[in-house]
């Protein structure tokens, strides 16, 4: 029996936790070459992100070219978007406990290199700065949408991170509601600012730099550290030392040092974790909070060794087996090259 076409993505309200949940049925058709470790070794012959396969994606929304005129990084519309420009469902639901809204928004993929088997940290710092410039540019473009309550940017690397394709890529998308994780962080930062008159992220970073034992690397613009309350072993953050409210506001001059710090830190994380899968997450406030004095973006690298287990699912609490002090010491002594 033919499967009916999947409906546009929608957000459903969980009345018990007061949180939105995303239903994106058409993503079950997402192409996958990484359903297992063995599959991850597949060749590039079917990869939609490899050079020569550009027709398997939509045309670039934006790209960066190398000296030979070929693209070195490109952004394309995600063909299996978590948010889409569909019409609102407009249907009548039988009870007020059932709330939903259309998941309208934009969702793009940024192909970060021509090299199918590379890791982002295999790029030299100059090439990585070009990729970060494209990230910033697509972030700026998508943030213009009037329906963008939040802009999310993340990278999945390896099957345990949720990646479905091996070729290095990241994703940027808008969300029509403030996601619960962003809402909670913003509320905590706003409360801290009301009580103490300072930026919470800056307060924490200054304390970490002063303490020193969890600092991995430091330059005049950025600090790499393993946070005091790490959610996962070998978690690392890269934080601008002076507040920058959102990624789009990052000045040109900071892209090269950011690229150098990200490359170095990622290589240390890979070395210490035995080249485990990872996510990189952009942490920043909701769109409506970008003018707040406490707004301050940073990057999180999360090492992923497996899905959350029963303890994490039942408690909502994370559990680590390496202290961040141990992780930072290991990363400082690890050869990043
Ligand atoms: Zn590829």
């Amino acid at each position: 029996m033919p499967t009916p076409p999947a409906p546009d993505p929608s957000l459903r309200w969980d009345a018990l936790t007061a949180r939105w949940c995303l239903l994106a049925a058409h993503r079950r058709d997402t192409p996958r070459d990484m359903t297992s470790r063995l599959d991850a070794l597949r060749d590039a012959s079917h990869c939609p992100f490899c050079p020569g396969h550009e027709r398997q994606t939509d045309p670039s929304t934006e790209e960066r070219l190398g000296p030979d005129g070929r693209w070195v990084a490109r952004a394309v519309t995600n063909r299996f978007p978590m948010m889409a420009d569909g019409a609102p469902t407009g249907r009548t639901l039988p009870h007020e406990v059932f709330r939903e809204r259309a998941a309208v928004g934009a969702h793009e993929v940024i192909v970060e290199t021509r090299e199918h088997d590379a890791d982002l940290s295999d790029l030299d710092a100059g090439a990585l700065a070009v990729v970060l410039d494209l990230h910033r540019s697509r972030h700026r473009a998508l943030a213009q949408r009037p329906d963008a309550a939040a802009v999310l940017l993340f990278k999945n690397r390896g099957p345990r991170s949720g990646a479905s394709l091996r070729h290095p890529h990241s994703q940027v998308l808008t969300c029509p509601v403030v996601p619960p994780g962003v809402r909670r962080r913003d509320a905590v930062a706003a409360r801290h600012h009301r009580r103490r008159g300072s930026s919470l992220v800056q307060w924490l970073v200054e304390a970490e730099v002063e303490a020193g034992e969890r600092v991995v690397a430091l330059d005049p613009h950025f600090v790499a550290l393993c946070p005091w309350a790490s959610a996962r072993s070998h978690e690392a953050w890269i934080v601008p030392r002076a507040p920058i409210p959102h990624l789009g506001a990052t000045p040109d001059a900071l892209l090269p040092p950011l690229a150098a710090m990200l490359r170095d830190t990622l290589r240390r994380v890979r070395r210490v974790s035995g080249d485990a899968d990872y996510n990189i997450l952009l942490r920043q406030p909701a769109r409506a909070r970008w003018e707040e004095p406490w707004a301050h973006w940073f990057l999180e690298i999360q090492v992923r060794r497996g899905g959350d287990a029963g303890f994490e699912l039942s408690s909502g609490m994370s559990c680590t087996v390496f202290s961040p002090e141990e992780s930072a010491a290991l990363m400082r002594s690890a050869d990043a090259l």
Side-chain angles (χ1 to χ4, degrees):
M1 195 172 90
T3 310
D8 285 331
S10 61
L11 292 156
R12 290 190 174 193
W13 181 253
D14 177 358
L16 296 191
T17 59
R19 293 160 70 107
W20 290 104
C21 298
L22 178 63
L23 171 60
H26 55 280
R27 285 185 61 79
R28 57 192 171 215
D29 301 325
T30 305
R32 287 183 179 274
D33 69 2
M34 293 186 60
T35 47
S36 75
R37 270 289 177 186
L38 195 62
D39 287 345
L41 301 175
R42 267 178 68 156
D43 65 38
S45 55
H46 300 291
C47 173
F49 300 153
C50 267
H53 298 176
E54 288 82 358
R55 287 187 182 168
Q56 293 181 32
T57 67
D58 288 340
S60 300
T61 51
E62 191 173 348
E63 57 189 17
R64 295 289 180 271
L65 304 178
D68 58 4
R70 301 186 306 176
W71 64 265
V72 293
R74 60 191 293 254
V76 296
T77 304
N78 192 324
R79 286 194 169 176
F80 302 90
M82 290 177 160
M83 308 290 164
D85 283 326
T89 61
R91 62 180 175 155
T92 305
L93 293 163
H95 191 286
E96 63 183 341
V97 78
F98 305 125
R99 284 175 61 196
E100 71 174 354
R101 60 180 291 171
V104 292
H107 187 170
E108 295 191 4
V109 174
I110 296 167
V111 183
E112 297 167 326
T113 168
R114 300 176 70 85
E115 302 297 325
H116 181 78
D117 286 313
D119 182 86
L120 189 63
S121 61
D122 295 332
L123 273 59
D124 65 42
L128 187 49
V130 171
V131 172
L132 293 173
D133 176 52
L134 185 56
H135 283 147
R136 184 184 61 169
S137 184
R138 296 320 299 158
H139 178 286
R140 285 175 175 168
L142 267 52
Q144 299 296 318
R145 291 178 61 104
D147 56 20
V151 184
L152 306 178
L153 196 151
F154 56 84
K155 176 179 178 63
N156 304 329
R157 178 65 179 170
R160 288 181 172 141
S161 76
S164 52
L165 291 168
R166 179 171 178 79
H167 197 117
H169 66 284
S170 50
Q171 303 179 52
V172 57
L173 65 145
T174 64
C175 194
V177 297
V178 180
V182 176
R183 182 178 296 279
R184 176 170 172 78
R185 286 166 182 274
D186 289 354
V188 172
R191 188 176 60 202
H192 174 90
H193 188 264
R194 275 197 308 275
R195 289 180 178 171
R196 308 187 65 134
S198 66
S199 152
L200 180 56
V201 175
Q202 179 127 33
W203 187 64
L204 189 147
V205 161
E206 286 171 0
E208 289 286 17
V209 168
E210 190 179 327
E213 60 180 337
R214 284 171 297 279
V215 172
V216 177
L218 192 65
D219 73 15
H221 305 290
F222 295 95
V223 55
L225 57 90
C226 297
W228 166 257
S230 293
R232 292 185 173 81
S233 295
H234 308 320
E235 175 176 342
W237 295 0
I238 296 169
V239 192
R241 295 184 68 183
I244 308 171
H246 57 95
L247 184 71
T250 309
D252 289 347
L254 289 198
L255 292 182
L258 175 61
M261 184 71 84
L262 175 59
R263 180 177 185 276
D264 179 81
T265 307
L266 199 47
R267 291 169 85 95
R268 290 177 191 276
V269 170
R270 289 177 64 201
R271 183 64 61 95
V272 166
S273 68
D275 210 8
D277 297 346
Y278 64 85
N279 298 105
I280 302 178
L281 315 172
L282 171 65
R283 297 292 191 192
Q284 66 179 18
R287 176 73 186 81
R289 303 285 208 151
W290 285 356
E291 309 299 324
E292 300 282 357
W294 46 261
H296 192 151
W297 72 258
F298 64 96
L299 295 180
E300 240 178 66
I301 302 169
Q302 293 280 357
V303 171
R304 302 298 304 276
R305 296 193 179 279
D308 286 344
F311 171 78
E312 290 85 352
L313 293 173
S314 57
S315 68
M317 200 184 298
S318 59
C319 175
T320 54
V321 294
F322 279 90
S323 73
E325 295 79 21
E326 290 175 288
S327 291
L330 287 168
M331 286 182 206
R332 281 194 301 266
S333 62
D335 179 3
L337 305 173

